[in-house]
Amino acid sequence: MEAGEEIEDGEPSTPTYKAHHHPPHLPPPMRSSGVSLVLSVADLVLRFVAIGGTAGSAIAMATTSETLPFAAPFVRFRAEYSDLPTLMFFVVASSVVCAYLVLSLPASVVHVVRPGARSSRAILAFLDTVMLALLTASASAAAAIVYLAHRGSARANWLGICQQFTSFCQRITASLVGSFAAAVVLVALVFLSALSLARRA
Amino acid sequence: MSGSDTSGSVHVDGHGHGHGKASSSYDGAGAPAPAPAPFQGHRKAGSGSSDVPFLLRSGGSGGDGLRRCLGLIDFVLRVAAFGPTLAAAISIGTSDERLSVFTNYFQFRARFDDFPAFEFFIVANAIAAGYMVLSLPFSAATIMSSKATGVKLLLLICDTIMVGLLTAAASAAAAMVYVAHEGNLRANWVPICLQFHGFCQRTSGAVIASFLAVFVLMVLIVMAAFTMPRRTHHTAS
């Protein structure tokens, strides 16, 4: 509407503000306003928290190994995470999410500096959702198996192995905590991305 | 038959249904003016002043037709995600299999409440199915007004929560189904699917349906993120 009018005068024009309908009291577009700076910085901080959670739980699960001191002819008395394929999936998925979060740190820093980048923020929100689904899937599948290890199932005649392998069980239970906390943090990251997309700039 | 196009310059016709005032506000107005006018134009057949189909109208900003199209797809996908979640909850809830073999030591009956993961699965899928139905009016509201940022943000947030919940339930049930199919050598867990064929088929199908619903929900989140309208605190000029 005003873009055509101001060029008609013969004087040197500063078209940028008027053409983009900015009233004069707003800061120039490169600097972010207070709230979107807070949102972007919170996004960065939460990414670090989620990196810590996923890395911690992957490492805690992968270093489990317990051998009982006695032996019997038919039963093996050694428990590792790789004996249960679901726990293996958990370690792999946690590592993948941790690597993704590390690789998305530069994008998050760019969003702090340039708050107007909408497409990259939307792509990051989409990838965050995919990683949230992957992390939640692996964490809750591992939780189902850990529950079976604790309680067993009376119907299916599955005995809970935690009666013998106590420290193994404690470790795999504790490593789930970090993973679920990281999943909650990922949900918060998607919220922050959505809030930033819905703001004006 | 005025042959109006989508450029916003709509002329009133002599067949005068009183569309003149509504149509002349096409030229620079925001969302509320185009929203009632297309409906009236669509229903009164042969009214002439607007015989452009609903999806191709452009209101205030360009690309509004695309936004309405995506809004309709959003609505349809919500209806589509309701089916698998409800079906999964019902099919595991009605799973009960008794074998005709009988011994003193082994119980030959399998039901969903023998496994807490399946109980969680039923509850979570029922919640997700109810959420799909309840979010339909909100989705319709985002189609009607193209500046409904708050509603769209609310839907995106609730969709994200639902993705987390549904994925957790579906994958816990999938872990149980995996152990039931394969067993585990180290822990001496016998695969029960060798005897309980029907139970295993039902639970496997329900888990697959639930993962389909998760995928549909993720598509909904992506669409909402990419078409999120900006909230304008003050109008231009």
Side-chain angles (χ1 to χ4, degrees):
Chain A
M1 298 192 221
E2 295 136 358
E5 290 167 323
E6 36 131 18
I7 304 185
E8 288 169 11
D9 308 324
E11 52 196 17
S13 58
T14 56
T16 52
Y17 296 158
K18 295 239 164 77
H20 292 291
H21 310 294
H22 280 179
H25 63 273
L26 269 188
M30 279 301 288
R31 277 212 333 258
S32 57
S33 69
V35 179
S36 55
L37 186 64
V38 166
L39 288 179
S40 308
V41 168
D43 185 286
L44 193 59
V45 168
L46 283 180
R47 263 176 221 277
F48 276 110
V49 172
I51 286 175
T54 48
S57 75
I59 291 175
M61 180 74 81
T63 54
T64 57
S65 159
E66 183 176 359
T67 312
L68 293 184
F70 46 89
F74 299 115
V75 185
R76 298 201 212 184
F77 288 107
R78 182 181 163 81
E80 267 183 322
Y81 80 99
S82 51
D83 297 329
L84 295 156
T86 310
L87 299 187
M88 180 87 106
F89 168 53
F90 174 76
V91 170
V92 169
S94 279
S95 318
V96 165
V97 172
C98 189
Y100 159 75
L101 284 171
V102 167
L103 288 176
S104 72
L105 278 178
S108 191
V109 168
V110 164
H111 289 152
V112 171
V113 172
R114 284 184 142 257
R118 278 174 67 87
S119 317
S120 76
R121 221 185 262 274
I123 291 175
L124 207 62
F126 162 63
L127 287 175
D128 279 345
T129 314
V130 170
M131 290 301 149
L132 167 72
L134 179 66
L135 190 65
T136 314
S138 70
S140 72
I145 295 298
V146 166
Y147 180 85
L148 267 189
H150 275 277
R151 298 282 192 92
S153 172
R155 268 314 161 144
N157 275 342
W158 293 335
L159 285 181
I161 65 172
C162 276
Q163 312 296 335
Q164 287 100 30
F165 298 99
T166 44
S167 84
F168 173 73
C169 263
Q170 278 173 2
R171 238 221 185 156
I172 60 180
T173 312
S175 79
L176 287 179
V177 172
S179 197
F180 276 114
V184 169
V185 165
L186 268 178
V187 168
L189 280 176
V190 173
F191 286 2
L192 285 177
S193 295
L195 274 176
S196 309
L197 282 172
R199 287 183 56 80
R200 232 190 119 248
Chain B
M1 287 105 48
S2 66
S4 64
D5 55 348
T6 60
S7 66
S9 62
V10 178
H11 298 289
V12 181
D13 205 351
H15 299 293
H17 288 284
H19 279 203
K21 295 189 178 50
S23 305
S24 64
S25 65
Y26 257 34
D27 281 330
F39 258 132
Q40 296 166 15
H42 200 58
R43 289 212 189 117
K44 299 178 186 172
S47 73
S49 74
S50 45
D51 51 7
V52 180
F54 178 63
L55 287 181
L56 297 182
R57 282 174 217 285
S58 69
S61 60
D64 210 34
L66 178 67
R67 197 159 270 177
R68 284 216 174 96
C69 192
L70 285 179
L72 271 179
I73 292 178
D74 182 287
F75 191 86
V76 168
L77 280 181
R78 274 175 208 278
V79 175
F82 166 69
T85 47
L86 191 65
I90 289 180
S91 86
I92 285 203
T94 56
S95 67
D96 186 354
E97 186 171 359
R98 283 173 201 264
L99 295 185
S100 50
V101 194
F102 186 81
T103 64
N104 285 334
Y105 305 111
F106 201 58
Q107 295 160 319
F108 288 110
R109 180 170 161 229
R111 212 163 62 164
F112 70 93
D113 54 6
D114 300 325
F115 305 100
F118 290 148
E119 287 174 342
F120 173 49
F121 180 82
I122 289 176
V123 169
N125 272 273
I127 290 176
Y131 164 75
M132 285 298 154
V133 169
L134 287 177
S135 69
L136 284 178
F138 293 92
S139 179
T142 61
I143 301 178
M144 290 304 127
S145 76
S146 67
K147 301 287 181 193
T149 308
V151 177
K152 208 155 200 174
L153 196 59
L154 176 71
L155 276 184
L156 193 145
I157 288 176
C158 291
D159 278 347
T160 312
I161 297 176
M162 278 301 143
V163 159
L165 178 69
L166 206 56
T167 311
S171 64
M176 295 299 303
V177 166
Y178 177 80
V179 173
H181 274 278
E182 306 275 329
N184 191 288
L185 215 54
R186 289 289 176 127
N188 282 332
W189 290 340
V190 178
I192 67 171
C193 276
L194 302 178
Q195 285 102 29
F196 297 98
H197 293 292
F199 180 75
C200 270
Q201 273 180 359
R202 243 177 197 217
T203 52
S204 312
V207 163
I208 292 175
S210 196
F211 273 119
L212 273 180
V214 167
F215 177 69
V216 166
L217 267 176
M218 284 173 56
V219 168
L220 285 174
I221 289 178
V222 167
M223 274 177 18
F226 273 100
T227 62
M228 180 75 65
R230 289 195 200 209
R231 183 183 292 144
T232 53
H233 291 290
H234 56 87
T235 54
S237 79

